[in-house]
């Protein structure tokens, strides 16, 4: 089943929101002074996974242009 561009855009927006939220969570964790290294590492890993998914969806939305 093919996913429509509209559905991809909706997923993309949700991923971008979660990515920004993780940015905030990581910053708050670092500022708190608790420096839970394992939690910070997990959040950063999740953020990278989200970034990879964002890139995949962005590439699906960009039409192939043959030069």
């Amino acid at each position: 089943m093919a996913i429509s561009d509209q559905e991809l855009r909706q997923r993309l927006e949700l991923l971008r929101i979660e990515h920004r939220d993780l940015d905030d969570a990581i910053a708050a964790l670092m500022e708190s002074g608790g420096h839970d290294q394992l939690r910070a590492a997990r959040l950063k890993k999740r953020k990278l996974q989200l970034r990879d998914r964002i890139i995949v969806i962005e590439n699906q939305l960009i039409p192939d242009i043959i030069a």
Side-chain angles (χ1 to χ4, degrees), residues 10-24:
Q10 289 172 345
R11 286 185 185 184
L12 184 59
E13 185 56 29
L14 291 174
L15 291 173
R16 286 178 174 159
I17 290 168
E18 187 177 351
H19 190 266
R20 282 191 299 267
D21 289 348
L22 280 173
D23 254 346
D24 295 341

Side-chain angles (χ1 to χ4, degrees), residues 6-50:
Q6 180 64 27
E7 289 172 314
L8 285 174
R9 284 187 182 88
Q10 289 172 345
R11 286 185 185 184
L12 184 59
E13 185 56 29
L14 291 174
L15 291 173
R16 286 178 174 159
I17 290 168
E18 187 177 351
H19 190 266
R20 282 191 299 267
D21 289 348
L22 280 173
D23 254 346
D24 295 341
I26 292 167
L29 185 62
M30 295 303 178
E31 289 174 9
S32 71
H35 296 313
D36 183 349
Q37 301 252 341
L38 183 59
R39 183 160 186 240
R42 286 180 178 157
L43 291 174
K44 288 177 181 179
K45 183 177 179 180
R46 174 71 179 146
K47 187 178 161 191
L48 288 173
Q49 290 170 336
L50 286 173

